[in-house]
Amino acid sequence: MKALILNSGLGHRMGVITKEHPKCMTEISAHNTILSRQLRQLVSFGIEEVVMTTGYYDKVLVDYCHALHLPLKFTFVNNPVYDQTNYIYSIYCAKEYLKDDDIILMHGDLVFENLVMEAIVENENSCMAVSSTLSLPEKDFKAVIKNECIDKIGIEFFDNAMAAQPLYKILKGDWLLWLANIEKYCETDNRKCYAENAFNEVSNQCKIYPVDVKDMLCAEIDTPEDLDFVTKKLAKVNERTVYMSFSTEYIHSGHMAIINKAKRLGRLIIGVLSDEAVASYKRFPMIPYEERKALLENISGVERVIEQKTLSYVDNLRTLKPDYVVHGNDWCEGFQKPIRQEVCEVLSEYGGKLIEYPYSNNPMYKELDANHRAEASMPDVRRSRLRKLINMKGLVTAMEAHSGITGLIVENTKVLQNGKTFQFDAMWLSSLCDSTAKGKPDIELVDMTSRFRTIDDIMEVTTKPIIFDGDTGGLTEHFVYTVRSLERMGVSMVIIEDKTGLKKNSLFGTEVKQTQASIPDFCEKIRAGKRAQKTKEFMICARIESLILERGMEDALERAFAFSEAGADAIMIHSRKKDPAEIFEFVDNFRKKNSTTPIVVVPTSFNTVTEAEFKKRGVNVVIYANQLTRTGFPAMLDAARTILKYHRAKECDDKCMPIKEIITLIPEE
């Protein structure tokens, strides 16, 4: 596609303004003339070639265009009788350069905003800018619309007409029809009329469609009064602000394409999602906020980059009140649809506008995302994420997973509430759930080799941090090797309980005989584990069973302080009581002396406490230890009984999740 700009007119009605240069070189802002703005707009839309007709002050115009140093190939065609002909003859003079491509045709005194240009350039058909909201001008172009196409263009038409401006996109086939009639006119010495007169005779074949730009800026400058009007309106256009939001850790060509489109609309402000916001709906960002912010700040034409603290745009929109919000159309359906609706509601409060561009499905971008996901799942990257999340959020949540598919459920489940996204931060690999899934009792019967295979199954398809239930840790000599293996695999934390002998599930409490390890012995196990690990990120958490075994609060606190002194990276306190009072008492007393060591709770029994209250009291990790297992088995039992009862599967269908939905959870690679 190439541009044809008609600049051979005299511009007499501009008076002294055009005394020393063509009208197109008239200044319309501090940084632009009419022509320089047109040319920069063409560059921004990817136009590389311009055919320009000249006449009045030919050399001045040519020198000026070259002095702009724009990435454009110019072909200048002088109309030698510019003062005796109309621009139809200028087009005729340039005809040999205009037969090989689609054409963007404009008059050199036309000023239009980028949204107008975008509507013209991206139209699939040959088209012309018209306005349904402007009154019909007396002496300027009108377009007569017939059967949704433009039938006639001229200053004399008023019936079934709309105000029109000489800004066209004309596909090659249509242009050759029009150009052939222009040649016919000029070769029969009909050179003082408009080129549109030639179009009117072939409009039944040359199909040009109207593009209604309504009140957007699209106006010719013929007089000083026009110049004053356009300059003031352009100043308002140039003051418009545009807002976009990004969470990305890398910028690809798809991002740049939409950023460049946004820059055309006004002064671009980009909101970068905070680390916490990204972690709440994706995964912990591998590149922190400040670096992601700097990445976008270094893009030319971005005026300002600010923090967006949540997935919701509301706070930033109400503060900035941008004229436009720009986004890809990928949020029209799916998880972000409510966010989009919220944006529309806020924009309607003050008259802002949402502009959406088609989301690119380039396979290369999907490959980049897949590579990024693969990097996030690598052991060294994954291992460190839990500690970072605790430091960043204060409180993290973990849901049990005992297989690849339950890991994917934990990985992908999200809930949007009040403009914020919620998801689980980590996965809990419970020995109870792992044993149960294998049909074995929870007595450390499933050996570590088998449990490591479960870790592999989950790690292969997910990226979130893993907290591993290490039971008692076994013999100290064995625990050392367990630590090294877990650390090497990329597990973030192992939790070991201060009991000895054959493991019995804590749910039994004092109903079965359970022996608590001595404080010195368990401290030595912790110290041995810390000596064995190779990285600073891996965490060993000491689980205290004193409240389960009814040994009292003093014993629980004594152990907690001793274990943290021995090097435990976190303390887990457990209780079988539904009343959380003793848990709160422990946390309060521990925090009086130790304000930094993370506290872990498993609210299976005391399940009425909210995460917000846990965080307020000083808890850092909440583990939902067995809910997927406990909800899954009743559903499966119900399905089995239903089929047995009815001797067919039909009655079970409403209880079943469609296989297609299950498959969508599973990554292709």
Side-chain angles (χ1 to χ4, degrees), residues 135-148:
S135 58
L136 295 179
E138 285 292 327
K139 298 181 180 180
D140 292 323
F141 277 159
K142 278 84 66 179
V144 178
I145 313 300
K146 183 179 179 181
N147 297 325
E148 299 183 349

Side-chain angles (χ1 to χ4, degrees), residues 114 417 547 563 594 656:
N114 283 321
Q417 287 181 332
L547 302 182
F563 298 160
N594 186 322
C656 296

Side-chain angles (χ1 to χ4, degrees), residues 441-475:
D442 183 28
I443 54 172
E444 296 185 85
L445 181 62
V446 178
D447 64 21
M448 280 296 171
T449 302
S450 177
R451 302 228 22 228
F452 288 171
R453 281 200 297 271
T454 303
I455 295 176
D456 281 334
D457 288 344
I458 293 173
M459 282 190 159
E460 190 173 358
V461 295
T462 65
T463 65
K464 291 186 176 180
I466 288 177
I467 303 173
F468 184 78
D469 181 0
D471 292 325
T472 65
L475 297 173

Side-chain angles (χ1 to χ4, degrees), residues 591-603:
R591 283 287 176 244
K592 288 176 183 177
K593 293 185 178 181
N594 186 322
S595 61
T596 57
T597 301
I599 297 176
V600 182
V601 297
V602 181

Side-chain angles (χ1 to χ4, degrees), residues 308-439:
Q308 184 172 314
K309 293 183 180 297
T310 67
L311 193 59
S312 169
Y313 286 54
V314 171
D315 290 344
N316 283 4
L317 293 190
R318 289 204 170 120
T319 300
L320 298 169
K321 290 186 169 53
D323 297 280
Y324 300 110
V325 170
V326 170
H327 201 284
N329 63 359
D330 56 316
W331 67 344
C332 294
E333 297 296 334
F335 181 72
Q336 291 197 69
K337 186 176 179 180
I339 295 293
R340 179 186 183 274
Q341 180 61 36
E342 188 180 59
V343 167
C344 292
E345 290 170 359
V346 176
L347 290 174
S348 69
E349 294 173 5
Y350 64 87
K353 184 178 180 182
L354 173 63
I355 295 181
E356 295 166 316
Y357 293 107
Y359 183 76
S360 175
N361 288 314
N362 190 324
M364 180 185 73
Y365 305 152
K366 291 183 178 180
E367 185 177 345
L368 282 172
D369 285 337
N371 291 341
H372 192 65
R373 180 183 175 87
E375 186 178 355
S377 68
M378 295 301 289
D380 287 344
V381 176
R382 187 175 200 151
R383 185 193 310 113
S384 64
R385 210 170 300 145
L386 180 66
R387 194 185 287 272
K388 290 177 180 176
L389 279 166
I390 293 171
N391 292 336
M392 180 182 72
K393 297 180 66 176
L395 181 133
V396 302
T397 59
M399 169 61 84
E400 67 103 343
H402 55 267
S403 63
I405 193 66
T406 56
L408 285 167
I409 290 172
V410 179
E411 177 92 358
N412 296 310
T413 303
K414 301 178 182 68
V415 172
L416 185 66
Q417 287 181 332
N418 302 319
K420 292 185 177 181
T421 339
F422 297 92
Q423 65 173 337
F424 297 108
D425 301 297
M427 302 178 192
W428 165 243
L429 266 66
S430 157
S431 62
L432 166 64
C433 297
D434 199 5
S435 300
T436 303
K438 293 175 171 62

Side-chain angles (χ1 to χ4, degrees), residues 82-94:
Y82 65 87
D83 55 345
Q84 302 168 44
T85 59
N86 207 326
Y87 59 82
I88 188 171
Y89 189 65
S90 297
I91 296 174
Y92 177 80
C93 293

